[in-house]
């Protein structure tokens, strides 16, 4: 069965490759998307990114009817967006939260995720491989159902 998965990225992730490369690495978002398409050739991906909270809410709502699940890096919204948490809770498709950096090993304000409690799980700290792990975990969850 071909799974349809939305890879959703939040604020500042459009600047990957030039932004704080010592934390987030040198890979661009387009490079990550290309690598994922190659690694998971059987999955039908939609790739979206926004710096705007409400747009991310709209994208989560839109995904509920056309996607099987979402791999979501909410960026800084992870730590304080009740609107995004409620959007994830509102849709019945499964969501995996991913982070390039290990948010638990950084500043205290990054240790808490508003979103993770309404996701099936969180993957953090493996660089771009966090996305690979997120997708693999989501597929496993979808195939168990
Ligand atoms: C991030 C971690 C967040 O704390 C930060 O605000 C980001 C990126 C990550 O992928 O490591 O923008 O989500």
């Amino acid at each position: 069965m071909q799974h349809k998965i939305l890879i959703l990225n939040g604020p500042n992730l459009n600047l990957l490759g030039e932004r704080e490369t010592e934390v987030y690495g040198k890979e661009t978002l387009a490079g990550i998307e290309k690598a994922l398409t190659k690694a998971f050739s059987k999955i039908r991906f939609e790739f979206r990114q926004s710096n705007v909270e409400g747009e991310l809410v709209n994208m989560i709502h839109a995904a509920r009817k056309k996607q099987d699940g979402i791999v979501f890096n909410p960026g800084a919204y992870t730590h304080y967006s009740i609107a995004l948490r409620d959007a994830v809770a509102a849709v019945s498709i499964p969501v995996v939260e991913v982070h390039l950096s290990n948010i638990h090993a950084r500043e205290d304000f990054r240790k808490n995720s508003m979103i993770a409690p309404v996701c099936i799980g969180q993957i953090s700290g493996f660089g771009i491989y966090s996305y690979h792990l997120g997708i693999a975990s989501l597929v496993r969850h979808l195939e168990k159902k």
Side-chain angles (χ1 to χ4, degrees):
M1 187 188 155
Q2 195 188 36
H3 297 299
K4 291 173 280 172
I5 295 178
L6 171 65
I7 308 294
L8 185 58
N9 281 286
N12 301 305
L13 293 163
N14 55 314
L15 294 187
L16 283 178
E18 56 178 280
R19 165 197 188 209
E20 297 181 86
T21 51
E22 64 294 349
V23 181
Y24 300 118
K26 290 201 176 126
E27 191 59 87
T28 62
L29 187 55
I32 293 175
E33 293 173 354
K34 202 168 154 203
L36 296 177
T37 305
K38 198 167 163 209
F40 297 93
S41 55
K42 290 198 189 122
I43 294 177
R44 195 159 3 122
F45 287 114
E46 181 183 348
F47 297 105
R48 302 299 296 270
Q49 186 276 333
S50 177
N51 295 320
V52 180
E53 188 179 25
E55 282 181 7
L56 292 164
V57 169
N58 286 340
M59 288 171 188
I60 293 165
H61 291 180
R64 81 191 194 281
K65 296 242 166 103
K66 53 179 181 170
Q67 304 292 350
D68 297 316
I70 305 175
V71 172
F72 188 20
N73 184 344
Y77 286 135
T78 304
H79 314 299
Y80 67 94
S81 176
I82 298 170
L84 287 175
R85 178 199 177 108
D86 285 354
V88 170
V91 299
S92 56
I93 56 171
V95 179
V96 177
E97 180 182 307
V98 298
H99 299 282
L100 293 149
S101 64
N102 180 355
I103 60 171
H104 304 286
R106 300 181 62 194
E107 300 96 327
D108 279 349
F109 68 84
R110 292 188 204 275
K111 292 187 176 140
N112 185 48
S113 170
M114 297 299 292
I115 321 285
V118 290
C119 292
I120 57 171
Q122 180 197 66
I123 294 165
S124 177
F126 298 97
I128 94 158
Y129 201 58
S130 290
Y131 289 87
H132 290 72
L133 293 169
I135 293 161
S137 316
L138 180 58
V139 167
R140 200 181 148 86
H141 175 86
L142 291 170
E143 293 183 351
K144 263 202 314 209
K145 284 216 286 188

